[in-house]
């Protein structure tokens, strides 16, 4: 069997397994592969409340992500909290989208700037890349990375 034929056969088996809801690796199928096969599973792995109790000033302290499936479409919303003084600053609930490679993207619009947060779950933690884009052209865009843990109920 040539490498091209072998690859095509492997891809066909994977698509069939994913379409049936099974995973060739056991457990839940990869979200990007499931999307390619036309299936999405709710709630998403990023769904939940995520916290970083050690966050510094202006860093992400809490993320709340909600997802649900309605008529074969995923509806996602998220909100974020940043360390401020005397209490955390809260960004309101905002519609979020699925990222093509898996994970969730949310764009938070504010008076002084926009924050784009790319979220990807890894078990009981999420990695969040926050891009702070100030509206002031004299200020530079800043990207930070944060690891948040699932909040205990």
């Amino acid at each position: 069997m040539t490498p091209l034929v072998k690859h095509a056969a492997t891809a066909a088996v994977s698509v069939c397994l994913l379409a049936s809801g099974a995973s060739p690796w056991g457990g839940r199928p990869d979200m990007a592969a499931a999307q390619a096969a036309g299936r999405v599973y709710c709630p998403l792995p990023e769904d939940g409340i995520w916290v970083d109790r050690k966050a510094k000033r202006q860093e992400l302290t809490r993320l709340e992500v909600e997802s649900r499936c309605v008529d074969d479409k995923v509806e996602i919303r998220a909100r974020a909290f940043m360390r401020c003084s005397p209490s955390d600053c809260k960004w309101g609930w905002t519609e979020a989208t699925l990222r093509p490679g898996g994970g969730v993207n949310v764009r938070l619009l504010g008076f002084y700037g926009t924050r784009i947060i790319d979220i990807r779950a890894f078990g009981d933690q999420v990695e969040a890349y926050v891009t702070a884009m100030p509206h002031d052209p004299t200020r530079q865009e800043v990207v930070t990375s944060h690891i948040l843990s699932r909040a205990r109920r």
Side-chain angles (χ1 to χ4, degrees):
M1 190 180 300
T2 67
L4 184 57
V5 172
K6 185 176 181 182
H7 176 72
T10 303
V13 169
S14 296
V15 168
C16 290
L17 284 168
L18 289 169
S20 69
S23 171
W25 306 278
R28 190 173 170 150
D30 176 71
M31 188 59 64
Q35 282 181 274
R39 298 212 32 169
V40 179
Y41 300 89
C42 287
L44 297 174
E46 291 79 12
D47 192 284
I49 299 172
W50 308 91
V51 295
D52 180 0
R53 300 191 197 297
K54 298 178 182 177
K56 298 178 180 116
R57 190 174 166 279
Q58 293 298 312
E59 287 187 347
L60 199 58
T61 59
R62 180 181 176 107
L63 265 176
E64 296 178 8
V65 180
E66 293 181 354
S67 64
R68 63 185 182 137
C69 290
V70 178
D71 298 327
D72 293 329
K73 182 178 178 229
V74 180
E75 294 179 356
I76 312 165
R77 69 181 195 153
R79 68 178 174 173
F81 297 79
M82 304 284 184
R83 175 84 61 215
C84 293
S85 181
S87 62
D88 284 356
C89 301
K90 177 171 66 172
W91 297 73
W93 286 106
T94 305
E95 183 180 338
T97 58
L98 286 172
R99 292 178 39 207
V104 173
N105 174 279
V106 64
R107 184 181 202 88
L108 304 168
L109 304 174
F111 185 74
Y112 294 106
T114 299
R115 301 218 191 235
I116 299 170
I117 305 176
D118 291 314
I119 308 160
R120 177 167 231 145
F122 296 96
D124 281 340
Q125 294 185 323
V126 291
E127 184 173 37
Y129 284 97
V130 179
T131 305
M133 299 171 26
H135 295 313
D136 180 352
T138 63
R139 303 207 49 194
Q140 197 169 20
E141 183 177 292
V142 176
V143 178
T144 56
S145 175
H146 308 272
I147 302 292
L148 293 91
S149 301
R150 189 175 295 279
R152 297 177 193 194
R153 299 205 180 229

